[in-house]
Amino acid sequence: FGGYSETHRWPARDEWEFDGVTWTNRVTGLPLGRNAFSMTYDSTRSQVVLFGGLGDGQRLDDTWVKDGARWTEKLPTHKPSPRADHSLAFDPGRSVVVLFGGFVNDTHSNDTWEWNGSDWTQRSSAQVPPPRINHALAYDPSGGGVLLYGGQLVPPPPMPNVPQIPFADTLYEDTWRWNGFDWVQLSGGRGKRRGTLMVTDTQRNRV
């Protein structure tokens, strides 16, 4: 679904499904076209969950679910701020979708939210990873909880008539685990990187 379209120079509003052999275009009842959003699969409720992104010239804060047949916009009582370049991952051990970080109100965020199928809850913890965008999240079947890896801080936008201080992107190579109560930093890393992805391999208990 979605993404930035080089053809139209605008966030795409199309959806494709792959059955193992063929891609099929779905054309009705779609969310607003967007890029820089995040999706994950909720195996407890058998739904794809989508949140936020960039669309219609602004950051979005909408929540959509797809049950295999149709998209439905959810209207929760609580929800994260409009954002882009965040990440989602589903924790089957706790039956919640975890959201972390993203670009919010022209700054980098490090807030944590959980979606239980009907509402979002912001979670606080004693420890928290530094703010970032373009990081990876995935469920860890061997250790439990959701893993976070990498990401970046980008330079602030230039301001008129203000001398600019050189500011290079900050890339992360840290690994964190969200256990539902706290973020715990783990040792080791595999190089500083942004825009990376992680996926859960349940057959081999690996990320």
Side-chain angles (χ1 to χ4, degrees):
F1 176 80
Y4 185 80
S5 170
E6 283 292 336
T7 301
H8 303 291
R9 301 288 180 177
W10 196 255
R13 190 189 185 196
D14 58 352
E15 177 191 2
W16 295 79
E17 292 183 350
F18 186 65
D19 61 7
V21 178
T22 305
W23 284 100
T24 302
N25 189 12
R26 305 299 184 188
V27 295
T28 60
L30 302 179
L32 180 72
R34 66 194 69 200
N35 64 317
F37 61 98
S38 191
M39 289 197 304
T40 191
Y41 181 67
D42 178 342
S43 58
T44 297
R45 302 168 189 89
S46 301
Q47 295 176 332
V48 172
V49 180
L50 177 156
F51 180 83
L54 293 171
D56 198 23
Q58 61 186 334
R59 297 185 190 98
L60 304 172
D61 62 355
D62 50 347
T63 303
W64 291 77
V65 300
K66 185 177 183 182
D67 59 8
R70 63 184 61 85
W71 284 100
T72 301
E73 184 174 7
K74 308 295 283 188
L75 301 174
T77 303
H78 309 93
K79 58 184 176 180
S81 302
R83 68 189 61 207
D85 297 317
H86 52 287
S87 291
L88 299 178
F90 181 68
D91 183 345
R94 301 177 52 246
S95 296
V96 293
V97 171
V98 178
L99 178 154
F100 181 81
F103 206 64
V104 180
N105 295 326
D106 294 327
T107 190
H108 302 76
S109 173
N110 64 343
D111 52 349
T112 304
W113 291 77
E114 292 183 341
W115 170 254
N116 64 7
S118 59
D119 202 8
W120 288 99
T121 301
Q122 186 171 8
R123 303 299 307 273
S124 59
S125 59
Q127 300 186 86
V128 62
R132 66 192 67 199
I133 62 175
N134 295 326
H135 47 284
L137 286 184
Y139 174 70
D140 179 6
S142 61
V146 168
L147 293 184
L148 178 154
Y149 184 80
Q152 71 180 129
L153 285 173
V154 299
M159 298 180 64
N161 303 317
V162 175
Q164 297 301 300
I165 299 174
F167 188 124
D169 284 15
T170 299
L171 300 184
Y172 292 107
E173 60 176 339
D174 49 349
T175 304
W176 295 77
R177 184 195 310 278
W178 171 249
N179 59 22
F181 303 97
D182 200 5
W183 283 101
V184 178
Q185 187 168 9
L186 307 180
S187 61
R190 290 298 178 264
K192 298 179 180 181
R193 63 189 70 199
R194 63 184 181 184
T196 188
L197 294 175
M198 299 191 297
V199 66
T200 302
D201 183 344
T202 57
Q203 296 298 313
R204 300 173 56 245
N205 286 330
R206 297 286 189 273
V207 173

